[in-house]
Amino acid sequence: MEVLRNELGPGDEVAIKPGKHHLTYNGKHVPVTDMVYLASGLGIVPVLDQIKATLPRGASSVKTSSVVWLNDNRDTFDLAMDDLEGEYLKYPSKLAVSCILDDAVKNPMEGNKEVEEAVPYFNAGTMAVVCGPKRFAEKAKGYLTRKGYPENCICILP
């Protein structure tokens, strides 16, 4: 991530190769009507790809998406803020976006008012996707589980 911040300028392009992981919903509640994304750092990249694929009318069964992007450095939000805002402006009634300045690895998510307000409780038909560094992903999965999300309704993308 430091390379992105320090060596690239406005207009520079970056290619990111996806890993071997993909979204697989193993929950019992179909169709999936609501998506909840918890991302940190470059984890926002696959989230943007997903919301672009699922939000257009008729593209999927998804009716609403909530994106919660946590970073410990304000500059990290510059990586994708314009794209995220663009998607929100296209789908303001279908997309909720929360950008939270906090170190989610060091600090607990429980008790963080912004996180608590941004992450809805589980409802049938909801799928949660966690994207970011491994320690963040483990912590976010635990948080979602404590918030009522069944493990088979949580997908972790590294």
Side-chain angles (χ1 to χ4, degrees):
M1 180 110 68
E2 290 298 315
V3 170
L4 292 176
R5 267 194 225 117
N6 299 330
E7 295 183 19
L8 297 176
D12 289 348
E13 293 186 16
V14 176
I16 297 177
K17 181 179 177 186
K20 297 178 183 178
H21 301 278
H22 59 280
L23 290 180
T24 303
Y25 179 74
N26 295 313
K28 298 175 186 175
H29 309 285
V30 289
V32 173
T33 56
D34 302 290
M35 297 293 297
V36 175
Y37 299 97
L38 270 75
S40 181
L42 289 175
I44 198 65
V45 173
V47 170
L48 278 167
D49 187 47
Q50 287 296 308
I51 60 176
K52 287 177 181 180
T54 60
L55 287 182
R57 182 183 302 240
S60 72
S61 60
V62 175
K63 295 178 182 174
T64 63
S65 292
S66 298
V67 176
V68 181
W69 189 18
L70 297 109
N71 289 303
D72 62 352
N73 184 323
R74 185 176 306 279
D75 293 339
T76 305
F77 290 114
D78 293 339
L79 296 173
M81 187 59 77
D82 290 342
D83 290 332
L84 196 55
E85 183 179 30
E87 293 305 308
Y88 174 76
L89 292 173
K90 284 189 223 173
Y91 308 104
S93 63
K94 295 176 77 173
L95 178 61
V97 176
S98 298
C99 297
I100 301 171
L101 184 62
D102 190 29
D103 188 338
V105 173
K106 290 183 183 175
N107 302 324
M109 290 186 190
E110 285 90 357
N112 180 320
K113 186 177 178 182
E114 290 179 283
V115 174
E116 294 285 343
E117 289 176 0
V119 179
Y121 286 95
F122 177 78
N123 287 312
T126 301
M127 177 180 181
V129 178
V130 177
C131 302
K134 185 176 181 176
R135 289 184 59 212
F136 167 80
E138 291 167 355
K139 197 164 186 181
K141 180 181 178 184
Y143 172 74
L144 289 167
T145 302
R146 290 186 295 279
K147 196 146 178 160
Y149 286 76
E151 284 198 32
N152 62 359
C153 296
I154 302 171
C155 177
I156 298 179
L157 296 176

